[in-house]
Amino acid sequence: MTSTADKTRLKAAPLELHGRSIALVGLMGAGKTTIGRKLAQILGLPFVDSDAEIERVSRMTVSELFAAYGEPEFRALEARVVARIAEEEPRVIGTGGGAYMNEATRELLRERAYTVWLKADLDLLMERVSKRPTRPLLQAADPRAVMRELMDHRYPIYAQADLTVQSRNARRETIAAEIVSALRQKIEKDRQAR
């Protein structure tokens, strides 16, 4: 649990992001949106969820986009939206689970953001996604097998992120504070390497 003193300390010593955003990557259910909102609040930055932004600009839900245009068209739109968001002022970005799989998106985020992989185990992911049965990729006979397959395919790519923070059943303030701490260490290490 993050104490009031910890919150004050986190707010009192802002991160020197050098014009970069913080992009959270990981599978659906990892906590990119809930933890991202808390992280943005702690750091005094705006938060943007790329899926919500896609829905805003397209005036369709992610599920409707998948149904109407298929995954390849959705991914192309996602790449354009994430690129636009990453070019804006520093913010915390909650990316869609597949966004970081696009090589051009990964490269852009490497240049414009600190990337943080919210890594979660299968049981936690399934517990969380079962609360929202509208996930297009999980509309299958065996959603758990689909999630396992996504983990096998995506986790090696997510591991390319600047930082990895374990997502788990803990308060979002706790995970956000761990991200801030890991970012401080990364930024200091980068500064010393210059």
Side-chain angles (χ1 to χ4, degrees):
M1 185 165 84
T2 305
S3 70
T4 303
D6 289 339
K7 289 179 190 174
T8 303
R9 182 183 52 77
L10 289 171
K11 287 184 180 183
L15 287 176
E16 291 295 328
L17 295 173
H18 309 288
R20 297 172 78 179
S21 288
I22 301 165
L24 303 180
V25 303
L27 278 174
M28 62 188 104
K32 299 180 301 286
T33 300
T34 56
I35 294 167
R37 283 191 179 112
K38 181 50 68 176
L39 180 63
Q41 179 186 15
I42 288 169
L43 297 174
L45 292 172
F47 173 77
V48 64
D49 178 276
S50 67
D51 282 349
E53 187 63 10
I54 289 166
E55 290 180 345
R56 187 186 70 76
V57 299
S58 69
R59 295 189 175 107
M60 296 174 78
T61 67
V62 170
S63 294
E64 290 168 342
L65 286 164
F66 263 78
Y69 301 107
E71 187 174 0
E73 284 299 314
F74 173 79
R75 296 298 175 201
L77 174 59
E78 179 178 59
R80 290 191 303 273
V81 168
V82 171
R84 180 181 53 76
I85 293 168
E87 293 295 330
E88 296 173 354
E89 67 182 352
R91 60 195 57 232
V92 175
I93 305 166
T95 65
Y100 201 66
M101 300 308 293
N102 179 300
E103 188 174 346
T105 299
R106 273 195 314 279
E107 193 57 40
L108 178 68
L109 290 176
R110 273 189 203 106
E111 294 170 9
R112 300 286 306 149
Y114 291 103
T115 53
V116 181
W117 174 24
L118 287 176
K119 184 177 183 181
D121 67 33
L122 180 61
D123 289 337
L124 177 69
L125 293 172
M126 292 310 297
E127 174 190 326
R128 289 177 176 173
V129 299
S130 68
K131 297 172 186 169
R132 281 186 54 203
T134 59
R135 310 274 187 168
L137 293 178
L138 297 181
Q139 301 305 306
D142 188 353
R144 188 177 182 88
V146 172
M147 184 69 83
R148 167 52 66 197
E149 194 174 305
L150 287 170
M151 291 172 78
D152 291 345
H153 178 68
R154 292 181 179 181
Y155 274 23
I157 304 297
Y158 293 155
Q160 297 175 26
D162 294 317
L163 302 166
T164 300
V165 173
Q166 191 69 37
S167 185
R168 59 200 185 280
N169 279 330
R171 292 173 52 97
R172 61 184 180 219
E173 294 86 356
T174 300
I175 308 291
E178 290 172 4
I179 293 170
V180 171
S181 177
L183 281 166
R184 284 192 200 292
Q185 292 173 20
K186 164 83 173 136
I187 292 166
E188 180 59 23
K189 184 178 176 183
D190 289 352
R191 187 190 65 75
Q192 290 176 359
R194 280 188 234 133

